[in-house]
Amino acid sequence: MKLTGILAGLILLPAAGLWISPKIYSQQTATSSPSPTTAASQPSPKVTPRGADTWAAFDKLSRQGMRVVMLGHDYQLLVPSEMRFRPVDGRKLIEAVAARGGLHVVWIHEGRTAVIQRGATDPEVKRIVEGLKSVDVERRRESAQIGGSLKDVRVVEALTASCLDKDAETVKLAVESLNQLGMDAVAAIQGEKALALLEKLAADEDIYVRKNAVFALGQVGGQKALALLEKLAGDENRGVRMDAVIALGHVGGEKAFLLLEKLAGDKDSGVRAFAAGALGHVGGEKAFLLLEKLAGDKDSGVRAFAAGALGDVGGQKALALLEKLAGDEDAGVCASAVYALGEVGGEKALALLEKLAGDENKEVRGCAAYALGVVGGEKALALLEKLAEDTDAGVRRSVAYALGVVGDEKALALLEKLAGDENKEVRGCVAYALGQVDSKKAFALLEKLAGDADEPVRQKAAEALRIVGDEKAFALLEKLAEDLSVNVRYAVALALREVGGEKALASLEKLAADVDANVRVDAANYLGHMDGETVLAILERLLDSPYEDVRERAAERIQTRNLDRRFSLVMRTAVGMLGSTDQSLQGQMAEHIRRLEDGDFKVREKAQQAIKENFAAAEPLLQKTLKSSEIGTETKIRLKELMDEKMLVLRAIKFVRDNKLLEDAGYLKELLKSTQGEDKARVERRLKEIEAKPATAPAAAGKNSLPTTKASE
């Protein structure tokens, strides 16, 4: 990966994973998070995506005042082929990228920020937000634990507030959920509302917690954030100081520049290097003068970062300095300078690259090849054609990647020639590059390489099909899913998620039963991002996998898809316990449940332990029940979970007791609609018992009934 790309990931973007798609959906009154605005609230900037890389395009948009943030870090976002290598509307690009990944876009901050997310239903959001505000500490903990799995902007504010909860466990779980969403994304969404939390986390003993908080402060900006960053820039831990430098680059402005000027003279070379990168983001004449000084630093890492930053600053002065750095004795500095020339572009940069393309050092020639692809144009292509004949395979690989970035007919002709290269790594790079070229001829070449005798070529072909991402890619992926190579099948699983559709599900189902555990885990993960009853059936089968990590991933994906399903499973398990055929065990359970309401902590603790022990005794019966043809999918999932985590029995019982849902005839009638077999019979019996009671009669507290609810602790 080129150094300027690394800098973009570290400094120029709002962090690895902040944005999403074209569907603006209902935002009822569940939270008071930033109100969604119409996409047309602000004029939309233009951008020209170079290939499938969304990061580079989103960075250019951020420099024009349009921020893109993503909730969650597990989405693969790619620029649609029809929007590559041509000027496009920034807003349309964001929405198209999200749509391609099956995600949604919510516009906030008067249309200046696009939040890309998977999103959740209104009832799911409402349940979590209300749960976080509940007086019941167990319900707050439960909501804090699973809130991050919703990937919905509407839970962000409530989770942020829960980080200041008086219950330490709730705070811990809420912070974990926010980290799951991305603390930098949370900061970008909440703005100054996140400052209290970030200030608290920035003082945490855990270095990783501090680092996440420091980086997120850069998304907030403003004087308060700057004051905190100034303090943190002097932290004893160099990692914290370096993250503070990155954050200052995001904030920008005169005060941030003055702090960066000071940090550019830090005794730690890592801090100086990051200061150089941050200055490239700040830009301007003052930043250039500092970069000029850092370009002469004794440490090669600092010089390399300075070179990359000069590519961001641009201009004639930057070009002159980059020409000098391209001759640096250190290979890393030289490579960074050459890549930066491609970012600057223009006739002078092209002339310098032409000279470097003939350098005796093969690494320099390879860097020049890639930079020429970024520059583009007739002259650059002519130079790439010459480099395609280079004796070094590494140079030819760089040429292939560069041609994929250019992506026109002349570039395709050169790729066709390189597709017959004797070196398998070169052919693999050609396969990947073809995925970025939108034409029938390019796809035909890719199809040929997908049948190459060498594994690395087929693997790169599968990765390229992920970029292609449409129906025509499916037939090839289906074939590659049967490949003998684990690495190829691994790449196919990811590509199938991008393609989507019923056909992709069928192939992923096969991969979910793959002989390789890693392939199965990935298949379960990707299936969890897709919709339809078929998906649930496949994930259910994975619950029986002999591999623990596969079972865990399948259960996680099932439960995070739909909170209504999750809460229903808890309820139905409790209903099943209520109608247990083992009356003796049921009586013991009821007695222990009543003791959970005792005022003496020791009594409650003993009752809790007794419930766990009773559950262990009932485990063989549950194993037998799982094999019954009458048991429903939801109940099976819950019972599986209970056998792995016995404490969930207690949580299920407490959930029922505290909410009194088993005393609610209306709820039980609704529950009848989603139950079957013996589960349904149990609910019907309970419903008859309730309807037979006098309207004003209190709930019975007999030996075999659930206890009445006391005030929550």
Side-chain angles (χ1 to χ4, degrees), residues 571-606:
M571 280 303 307
R572 289 180 61 182
T573 300
V575 171
M577 291 180 62
L578 193 69
S580 172
T581 55
D582 187 340
Q583 295 300 315
S584 174
L585 179 59
Q586 181 185 340
Q588 293 173 29
M589 285 286 193
E591 181 65 30
H592 294 314
I593 291 171
R594 279 193 291 275
R595 290 178 181 174
L596 290 173
E597 299 290 345
D598 197 278
D600 189 323
F601 171 76
K602 292 183 178 180
V603 174
R604 296 198 306 272
E605 189 175 42
K606 288 181 179 179

Side-chain angles (χ1 to χ4, degrees), residues 88-145:
V88 294
D89 179 270
R91 186 166 284 110
K92 291 180 179 178
L93 172 66
I94 294 168
E95 296 185 342
V97 165
R100 189 181 187 279
L103 303 171
H104 310 290
V105 172
V106 176
W107 294 92
I108 59 176
H109 302 156
E110 298 181 344
R112 296 189 305 274
T113 301
V115 180
I116 300 180
Q117 61 181 41
R118 179 160 297 281
T121 65
D122 292 338
E124 287 173 337
V125 172
K126 183 178 180 182
R127 180 175 288 123
I128 291 300
V129 173
E130 291 181 350
L132 291 170
K133 298 177 181 178
S134 173
V135 296
D136 181 354
V137 68
E138 289 296 331
R139 191 178 176 195
R140 295 204 306 278
R141 290 176 180 177
E142 176 83 8
S143 298
Q145 181 180 24

Side-chain angles (χ1 to χ4, degrees), residues 70 95 143 200 222 242 250 266 278 294 303 305 398 428 432 562 609 639 694:
M70 178 187 287
E95 296 185 342
S143 298
K200 178 181 177 181
M242 290 164 74
H250 279 297
D266 195 277
L294 290 169
R303 299 198 303 277
F305 268 72
S398 294
Y432 189 83
N562 189 315
Q609 183 62 34
L639 291 180

Side-chain angles (χ1 to χ4, degrees), residues 52-53 78 400-401 404 415 426-437 446 449 457 459-468:
D53 184 6
L78 299 168
Y401 280 125
L415 283 171
V426 174
R427 297 198 305 278
C429 291
V430 170
Y432 189 83
L434 287 168
Q436 299 193 62
V437 182
L446 180 57
L449 289 170
V457 182
Q459 182 180 347
K460 286 293 183 181
E463 293 174 7
L465 289 169
R466 176 175 69 91
I467 301 173
V468 174

Side-chain angles (χ1 to χ4, degrees), residues 31 33 125 128-129 147 150 152-160 181:
T31 77
S33 293
V125 172
I128 291 300
V129 173
L150 265 62
D152 194 299
V153 68
R154 294 174 291 172
V155 302
V156 169
E157 185 166 322
L159 281 171
T160 304
L181 294 174

Side-chain angles (χ1 to χ4, degrees), residues 81-274:
S81 58
E82 67 274 11
M83 303 185 89
R84 301 170 195 164
F85 311 112
R86 56 179 64 92
V88 294
D89 179 270
R91 186 166 284 110
K92 291 180 179 178
L93 172 66
I94 294 168
E95 296 185 342
V97 165
R100 189 181 187 279
L103 303 171
H104 310 290
V105 172
V106 176
W107 294 92
I108 59 176
H109 302 156
E110 298 181 344
R112 296 189 305 274
T113 301
V115 180
I116 300 180
Q117 61 181 41
R118 179 160 297 281
T121 65
D122 292 338
E124 287 173 337
V125 172
K126 183 178 180 182
R127 180 175 288 123
I128 291 300
V129 173
E130 291 181 350
L132 291 170
K133 298 177 181 178
S134 173
V135 296
D136 181 354
V137 68
E138 289 296 331
R139 191 178 176 195
R140 295 204 306 278
R141 290 176 180 177
E142 176 83 8
S143 298
Q145 181 180 24
I146 61 180
S149 67
L150 265 62
K151 304 292 193 298
D152 194 299
V153 68
R154 294 174 291 172
V155 302
V156 169
E157 185 166 322
L159 281 171
T160 304
S162 291
C163 291
L164 303 176
D165 195 282
K166 60 183 179 181
D167 175 61
E169 184 64 18
T170 299
V171 172
K172 177 184 175 182
L173 293 171
V175 171
E176 289 176 357
S177 273
L178 289 176
N179 279 325
Q180 187 178 351
L181 294 174
M183 194 62 74
D184 43 9
V186 170
I189 292 167
Q190 287 289 91
E192 291 194 354
K193 292 181 180 179
L195 277 175
L197 169 62
L198 294 177
E199 183 173 11
K200 178 181 177 181
L201 296 178
D204 196 275
E205 293 181 358
D206 189 316
I207 181 61
Y208 297 105
V209 173
R210 293 214 309 277
K211 282 168 61 65
N212 283 339
V214 171
F215 188 79
L217 281 167
Q219 309 304 317
V220 177
Q223 294 303 310
K224 292 182 179 179
L226 272 172
L228 284 172
L229 288 171
E230 182 175 12
K231 179 181 179 181
L232 291 163
D235 193 275
E236 61 182 15
N237 183 279
R238 74 188 298 262
V240 173
R241 296 200 305 276
M242 290 164 74
D243 280 338
V245 172
I246 297 174
L248 287 168
H250 279 297
V251 174
E254 184 63 26
K255 186 172 182 179
F257 174 79
L258 292 174
L259 290 173
L260 287 172
E261 184 177 24
K262 179 180 179 181
L263 291 164
D266 195 277
K267 63 181 181 179
D268 189 303
S269 61
V271 174
R272 297 199 305 277
F274 274 49

Side-chain angles (χ1 to χ4, degrees), residues 248-436:
L248 287 168
H250 279 297
V251 174
E254 184 63 26
K255 186 172 182 179
F257 174 79
L258 292 174
L259 290 173
L260 287 172
E261 184 177 24
K262 179 180 179 181
L263 291 164
D266 195 277
K267 63 181 181 179
D268 189 303
S269 61
V271 174
R272 297 199 305 277
F274 274 49
L279 286 166
H281 192 248
V282 172
E285 181 64 24
K286 290 183 179 180
F288 171 78
L289 293 174
L290 269 180
L291 287 171
E292 187 175 26
K293 180 179 179 181
L294 290 169
D297 195 280
K298 63 181 180 180
D299 184 89
S300 61
V302 177
R303 299 198 303 277
F305 268 72
L310 287 167
D312 295 324
V313 173
Q316 294 302 311
K317 291 182 179 179
L319 277 173
L321 194 49
L322 285 171
E323 182 177 11
K324 179 181 178 181
L325 289 170
D328 195 280
E329 61 184 15
D330 182 85
V333 177
C334 178
S336 183
V338 176
Y339 286 139
L341 286 170
E343 295 293 333
V344 175
E347 287 299 320
K348 186 172 181 179
L350 187 57
L352 290 172
L353 288 172
E354 181 176 11
K355 178 182 177 182
L356 293 167
D359 196 275
E360 62 181 15
N361 188 313
K362 62 183 181 181
E363 301 295 338
V364 173
R365 298 197 304 276
C367 292
Y370 190 88
L372 285 167
V374 176
V375 173
E378 292 289 334
K379 190 172 182 179
L381 269 175
L383 291 171
L384 285 170
E385 184 174 11
K386 182 179 180 180
L387 286 169
E389 302 289 343
D390 198 281
T391 56
D392 183 75
V395 174
R396 300 198 301 278
R397 290 200 304 270
S398 294
V399 170
Y401 280 125
L403 291 170
V405 173
V406 175
D408 61 16
E409 287 300 318
K410 291 184 178 180
L412 182 56
L414 290 175
L415 283 171
E416 184 176 13
K417 183 178 180 180
L418 284 171
D421 197 280
E422 62 181 13
N423 185 283
K424 61 184 179 182
E425 301 296 340
V426 174
R427 297 198 305 278
C429 291
V430 170
Y432 189 83
L434 287 168
Q436 299 193 62

